[in-house]
Amino acid sequence: MRSLVIQPVRRLMIVALAGLCVVSTAAVASAQDPPPPPTPQQPAAPAQPDPLRFTTGPVMVYKQIKPDLATAFEAAWAAIRQGLTASGKPELQQQVSAVKIFRVNAAGTPADAPRTYVFYVEQVPATGVTFDPIKLLYESGAFERAKADEIYATIKDAYMQIAPWPLVAIGG
């Protein structure tokens, strides 16, 4: 009997968290153009802090996606996960194994409503984790430029909102 009550409570909690985020947070990042390839005569720009990089967990990253691009978004993240796994870099493989991606399926959601995804990492790898798709595609070293451009082209217009949620345990 207890398991019948827990599942709806968990679903309600995820939907409530997603709704809270929509109401209470501003967009952290919107779709950007990928960085141009570096040129020798171009000075390096000062590094900006990555609001989607975490060194402690647990953490959730809320992503709101345009409904007509949700399938492309899911396919792009499957390709990103596959590329990171195949990279041969232990830190990227550890990142892939640490993150769980959820799609929020709220009953009665209209077909034209934005789709909500939650990226959840209970334990952030010691090297830290970024959820910025541009950095994963263009700076991780896991993708050739042509493949990164191909994946990026499928998701660049999909994002409506991205908001990081670093979590802090309370109570016992």
Side-chain angles (χ1 to χ4, degrees):
M1 180 68 170
R2 182 176 175 193
S3 66
L4 294 174
V5 173
I6 291 176
Q7 285 297 345
V9 169
R10 284 184 184 162
R11 276 189 231 124
L12 181 60
M13 185 175 79
I14 289 174
V15 171
L17 283 171
L20 178 63
C21 182
V22 170
V23 172
S24 66
T25 62
V28 169
S30 59
Q32 318 165 4
D33 288 328
T39 59
Q41 60 273 51
Q42 184 180 34
Q48 298 294 320
D50 180 354
L52 298 173
R53 180 175 177 77
F54 304 97
T55 56
T56 62
V59 64
M60 290 175 34
V61 177
Y62 164 89
K63 297 186 178 197
Q64 191 176 53
I65 304 301
K66 294 176 183 173
D68 57 326
L69 297 174
T71 301
F73 172 82
E74 290 181 22
W77 274 100
I80 291 170
R81 289 178 74 100
Q82 181 181 17
L84 296 176
T85 300
S87 72
K89 295 182 175 184
E91 66 275 12
L92 296 179
Q93 294 169 341
Q94 186 180 20
Q95 178 176 349
V96 167
S97 65
V99 66
K100 292 179 176 68
I101 302 173
F102 298 94
R103 178 181 58 233
V104 177
N105 286 333
T109 302
D112 61 345
R115 300 295 182 257
T116 301
Y117 294 84
V118 176
F119 287 47
Y120 176 72
V121 178
E122 186 169 350
Q123 184 64 42
V124 173
T127 57
V129 174
T130 185
F131 291 96
D132 185 329
I134 293 172
K135 289 183 179 179
L136 291 173
L137 289 170
Y138 294 98
E139 297 176 12
S140 70
F143 301 92
E144 296 291 328
R145 179 67 189 221
K147 184 65 175 175
D149 288 345
E150 175 188 324
I151 295 169
Y152 178 74
T154 65
I155 62 170
K156 67 182 177 117
D157 296 324
Y159 287 91
M160 295 178 70
Q161 182 178 19
I162 301 173
W165 294 349
L167 305 174
V168 177
I170 59 172

